[in-house]
Amino acid sequence: MRVARALSHPVRVKILLLLVRRPTFIQDIAQSLRIPYALAHMHLKVLEEAGLVEGSYVVEERPRPHLRKIYRVRDFRLVIDRQLLEDLARSEESGSSSGQ
């Protein structure tokens, strides 16, 4: 269910497409999509929690030594079956009835 929700936002799909091309940093994603850094971070967190991307830290030497987190797409396979569709329909119904 987390995967379906993660893929339900077009910005997260665009992020996945960027990461399929090459692993990259949050700043680069934000610049490429012309969105604020904080928004890129939030979307990456959702994708990471869903198991679609993973981040690892690398040491950048310039302009001074510091850690940066680089993100990459994890191998995954998405199977859409009847149960998933029913779960999504139920979550949409409960979301719209609660005013979301």
Side-chain angles (χ1 to χ4, degrees):
M1 194 64 154
R2 279 186 176 184
V3 171
R5 285 193 182 155
L7 295 175
S8 70
H9 198 288
V11 169
R12 290 193 283 267
V13 174
K14 288 178 184 178
I15 290 171
L16 282 174
L17 288 172
L18 286 174
L19 294 176
V20 164
R21 293 183 191 124
R22 69 180 174 84
T24 194
F25 301 102
I26 296 174
Q27 297 91 313
D28 300 329
I29 292 168
Q31 282 181 329
S32 293
L33 298 179
R34 295 184 176 149
I35 60 174
Y37 177 95
L39 187 59
H41 184 268
M42 183 209 59
H43 285 303
L44 279 164
K45 184 176 179 182
V46 171
L47 291 167
E48 198 169 22
E49 288 173 354
L52 299 174
V53 302
E54 62 187 0
S56 58
Y57 289 96
V58 295
V59 176
E60 293 280 310
E61 294 297 330
R62 295 179 185 229
R64 58 179 173 33
H66 61 285
L67 285 177
R68 290 181 75 190
K69 193 170 185 180
I70 190 165
Y71 288 88
R72 64 185 40 82
V73 173
R74 295 183 64 193
D75 287 336
F76 67 90
R77 183 175 181 180
L78 180 62
V79 177
I80 300 173
D81 61 5
R82 181 183 180 143
Q83 185 62 50
L84 176 62
L85 293 173
E86 289 174 357
D87 291 346
L88 287 172
R90 266 195 302 283
S91 69
E92 181 62 30
E93 289 168 1
S94 66
S96 61
S97 66
S98 65
Q100 293 181 358

